[in-house]
Amino acid sequence: MTDDPLEDGPDTELWDDLLADAEAFATEYREEGWEVLTVQPSDVSLAADDDRIGLVVFVSDDEYDDLEAVVEREAASFEAAEVYRRIADDTAAVVAIELDERTQTAVVVPMQYSLSQVASPLEVDDLLVHVRPSSLENWVTFSHDDPSLFFPD
C-alpha cells in the first residue's frame, strides 16, 4: 500500500501541485470542446493478485458513479491517453488523461504513489489503472501499453 495522497506530510506540496496540474489539463480540454471528468483519489495502491495487476485508484462513491456513467456510454471507447509525471525522491506524481477521441471525452486521473512500493512488482507489458470506490467491488480499468510512463527511467 502507498501513503494516503491526501495525508499531511512531506509530499503534500507535490500532491497540491499535481491537483493544480490536473485541473489545468482539464481546463485545456474543456476549452477545446471536450467533456471532462476529473476524479480525486483518496488513495492509490498496488494490485498484484491473480485478478488484478496494476495501480488501484480509490475514489468516492459519487465520483465512481459519474465515471461509470461516462465509460459505459454506448459509443465510449477510451483507447488513447496522455500521461504526465513528476518524480520527487521516492514519490511519483502522475496525471493520466484517459481519452475517448471519438466522443471527445476525457477522464483526468491524478495519482501519487511510492515508487519503492509499486515499481518492482509491475513487470508487465500493459499497465492497468483500476479506478474503484472504497465501498464496492466495482472497477473501471484503463490500459496503458507503455508502463514506463508511470515510472522513472
Side-chain angles (χ1 to χ4, degrees), residues 35-99:
E35 176 185 353
V36 179
L37 173 65
T38 302
V39 298
Q40 183 167 340
S42 60
D43 194 17
V44 177
S45 66
L46 171 67
D49 60 29
D50 292 336
D51 295 329
R52 305 259 186 233
I53 295 177
L55 297 171
V56 179
V57 179
F58 292 93
V59 298
S60 72
D61 291 351
D62 289 341
E63 285 184 329
Y64 182 80
D65 290 344
D66 293 343
L67 174 62
E68 193 173 50
V70 166
V71 300
E72 289 186 353
R73 290 181 186 155
E74 185 175 324
S77 178
F78 289 84
E79 296 180 0
E82 293 182 15
V83 178
Y84 301 90
R85 76 162 189 245
R86 291 185 193 176
I87 305 298
D89 299 320
D90 181 51
T91 303
V94 176
V95 176
I97 306 170
E98 311 296 344
L99 302 169

Side-chain angles (χ1 to χ4, degrees), residues 15 30 33 43 78 91 103 130 144:
W15 180 246
R30 283 186 191 103
D43 194 17
F78 289 84
T91 303
T103 64
H130 309 285
H144 297 269

